[in-house]
Amino acid sequence: MVVHSKPAIEQLSNANTCAALLPGIPLIDLSKPDPKSHLVRACQDFGFFKVTNHGVPAPLIRALESEALRFFSLPHSVKSQAGPPDPFGYGDKKIGPNGDVGWLEYLLLTTNSHSDYHKFSSIFGHAADNFRCLVNEYIAAVKKMACEILEMLAEGLRIDDREAFSKLLMDEQSDSVFRVNHYPPCPDFPESNGRNLIGFGEHTDPQIISVLRSNNISGLQISLKDGRWIPVPADQSSFFINVGDSLQVMTNGRFKSVKHRVVANGSKSRLSMIYFGGPPLSKTIAPLASLMQDEEDSLYKEFTWFEYKKSAYKSKLADNRLGLFEKIAAS
Ligand code: OGA
Ligand code: NI
């Protein structure tokens, strides 16, 4: 990847990430009977949890990871033929159109059309088909897991329609995205002055749910409700689930969309793959009627997923994107 001058990338203070006295990340074993109440609590308290015994085959994960690494190991001039992301394709350092940068390169792919793959066929040749097949198979597996989790969450919240959330991902028009992030080792990692270089700046994911898997290199951090950051220990055989902004709205704030970020690593390369499960563009995102208690008002103005995406696209990563759609409490 092209090495730009470092000052362009934000540096983070380590001061508030002390590991002592921090709560552990919720762990949900999907093979245990009835994890519903644990899932609900994790979404309320953290908006984030780790899942084991998820049923996604390890060989599939390994195969896709090695194809992705093969892509990222190509010369920059070759990779950039698959870019810039418009919005799909290869991207390097720049995240979104509003000046955010990070110490990473990435691939952004749609999950329901093949239109973006022509960008890869000239680079990958025949291997482009193999890559596409692996991506499709992987997406199908993580989407199935995401839907099962969303159905357990709906049951845990006692929503009549257990598919109230999952049907948005299963819809043919579901606007979901698949992203592979590669964080190369960062030269002259500024460890000595106690500051970290940002890999991916703090943000919340706008969709309903994100399913993340990374190799065994750490870097991901989540923000607790009190603003402290906690490092998420890497675990290549598990998945990490984020509550997205849309799920926060659909639960009228019961579930928290988790703020997270990635810090760069001095010596090792990190690879993460994230499936972002989103609703159809025309879907109105609003609290589910069956969740609203007597007299409970929606905390949010009504908007469609298209409107929210358009608004998010105009914002910086760290902006409180949902803030624009919150109702101001009448005084
Ligand atoms: C993202 C994200 C984290 C990671 O792509 O939205 O938060 O570990 N990525 O790459
Ligand atoms: Ni994210």
Side-chain angles (χ1 to χ4, degrees):
M1 75 195 272
V2 177
V3 178
H4 296 281
S5 64
K6 264 200 325 220
I9 296 179
E10 185 191 346
Q11 296 201 357
L12 293 171
S13 165
N14 257 344
N16 58 352
T17 56
C18 171
L21 304 175
L22 288 169
I25 286 153
L27 168 63
I28 315 280
D29 180 344
L30 290 181
S31 68
K32 290 261 169 69
D34 213 16
K36 290 194 278 284
S37 56
H38 288 128
L39 284 168
V40 168
R41 212 169 319 122
C43 291
Q44 287 169 342
D45 297 346
F46 291 80
F48 186 84
F49 53 94
K50 165 167 152 172
V51 289
T52 56
N53 291 311
H54 42 69
V56 181
L60 172 62
I61 300 173
R62 276 199 301 272
L64 181 57
E65 181 173 271
S66 75
E67 278 304 291
L69 283 173
R70 199 155 71 85
F71 174 82
F72 288 120
S73 68
L74 293 168
H76 187 264
S77 58
V78 177
K79 287 183 283 195
S80 45
Q81 288 169 31
D86 59 356
F88 299 108
Y90 171 76
D92 177 26
K93 296 247 172 32
K94 285 201 194 109
I95 305 172
N98 303 310
D100 286 298
V101 281
W103 191 261
L104 86 165
E105 54 181 346
Y106 57 90
L107 282 175
L108 256 179
L109 304 167
T110 51
T111 63
N112 51 5
S113 106
H114 297 160
S115 57
D116 42 330
Y117 283 91
H118 67 270
K119 287 184 173 172
F120 300 104
S121 32
S122 59
I123 300 167
F124 264 171
H126 288 314
D129 288 340
N130 182 38
F131 183 57
R132 184 166 84 191
C133 284
L134 285 171
V135 170
N136 287 347
E137 213 180 311
Y138 180 87
I139 289 172
V142 291
K143 176 172 162 182
K144 180 164 170 278
M145 187 217 320
C147 287
E148 282 164 10
I149 289 172
L150 289 171
E151 286 165 17
M152 285 190 271
L153 285 170
E155 282 177 9
L157 288 171
R158 298 177 205 290
I159 295 166
D160 313 330
D161 176 9
R162 68 189 295 268
E163 296 185 351
F165 305 126
S166 64
K167 66 186 175 196
L168 304 177
L169 273 58
M170 289 187 294
D171 193 303
E172 259 181 41
Q173 305 292 321
S174 152
D175 181 38
S176 297
V177 180
F178 182 59
R179 178 170 194 131
V180 187
N181 290 330
H182 177 231
Y183 301 88
C186 179
D188 22 291
F189 191 56
E191 272 166 334
S192 51
N193 61 8
R195 293 173 86 78
N196 279 328
L197 205 64
I198 193 74
F200 203 122
E202 67 175 74
H203 65 284
T204 57
D205 294 340
Q207 291 86 354
I208 294 172
I209 192 167
S210 317
V211 182
L212 179 147
R213 186 266 172 195
S214 82
N215 66 357
N216 248 355
I217 305 303
S218 59
L220 181 63
Q221 300 184 341
I222 61 166
S223 165
L224 300 176
K225 283 180 178 170
D226 63 11
R228 283 180 300 165
W229 286 96
I230 56 171
V232 178
D235 179 352
Q236 61 185 355
S237 57
S238 300
F239 281 87
F240 294 93
I241 310 290
N242 288 12
V243 170
D245 296 342
S246 300
L247 190 54
Q248 176 172 325
V249 174
M250 292 180 80
T251 59
N252 208 26
R254 285 172 179 73
F255 289 177
K256 293 288 170 233
S257 140
V258 63
K259 205 189 277 181
H260 54 286
R261 66 185 183 189
V262 178
V263 293
N265 188 292
S267 55
K268 306 217 174 80
S269 157
R270 180 164 183 275
L271 190 94
S272 60
M273 314 198 271
I274 308 115
Y275 162 77
F276 301 93
L281 288 171
S282 59
K283 168 76 187 160
T284 297
I285 307 297
L288 294 175
S290 65
L291 260 187
M292 303 295 261
Q293 315 264 328
D294 305 338
E295 311 277 314
E296 183 173 335
D297 271 333
S298 171
L299 300 173
Y300 307 95
K301 300 172 198 164
E302 219 171 74
F303 56 89
T304 62
W305 170 239
F306 175 76
E307 287 164 335
Y308 191 55
K309 239 177 84 154
K310 200 168 72 177
S311 161
Y313 199 66
K314 290 190 195 137
S315 67
K316 302 265 286 180
L317 266 183
D319 289 348
N320 174 15
R321 296 157 168 168
L322 215 39
L324 290 174
F325 296 87
E326 275 163 11
K327 282 187 190 164
I328 313 290
S331 51

